[in-house]
Amino acid sequence: MSYAWKDVTFKAVIEVITMTIDEAKQQLQMLKADYARVQGDLEKIESIGGNVRPVTRQLKQLEEEIQVARQTVNELEQ
């Protein structure tokens, strides 16, 4: 079903924007929680003398994803 722009209400636009901001914030929180979990895993692996390289790579990837998610939230809130 397609709509002409004249059919789009201001309220509908605000709902979509808000939903998007909320989703972006939720994604950021999930990434932060994953980071904390993986960081705990890293500490456990270090304590037993295990190979931390894969976990360190995972933390680096999560840091990059968090940075992108944070930037997205900031842009959407403007």
Side-chain angles (χ1 to χ4, degrees):
M1 177 184 263
S2 66
Y3 294 96
W5 280 107
K6 65 180 181 162
D7 295 331
V8 177
T9 65
F10 181 72
K11 181 181 177 189
V13 171
I14 295 298
E15 286 175 1
V16 169
I17 291 171
T18 302
M19 183 178 67
T20 303
I21 291 170
D22 290 344
E23 288 173 350
K25 286 180 179 179
Q26 183 179 23
Q27 177 68 22
L28 180 58
Q29 292 305 316
M30 288 175 23
L31 288 168
K32 287 180 179 181
D34 285 347
Y35 187 89
R37 179 187 51 78
V38 173
Q39 195 170 34
D41 293 347
L42 175 65
E43 291 172 6
K44 290 175 188 173
I45 292 169
E46 282 179 327
S47 73
I48 62 170
N51 181 10
V52 297
R53 185 172 287 161
V55 180
T56 304
R57 272 190 248 127
Q58 188 177 8
L59 281 175
K60 179 68 174 165
Q61 180 181 353
L62 283 168
E63 288 171 1
E64 293 170 2
E65 290 179 27
I66 288 170
Q67 182 180 7
V68 170
R70 187 174 285 134
Q71 182 179 357
T72 301
V73 168
N74 289 339
E75 289 174 1
L76 289 171
E77 287 183 329
Q78 291 181 2

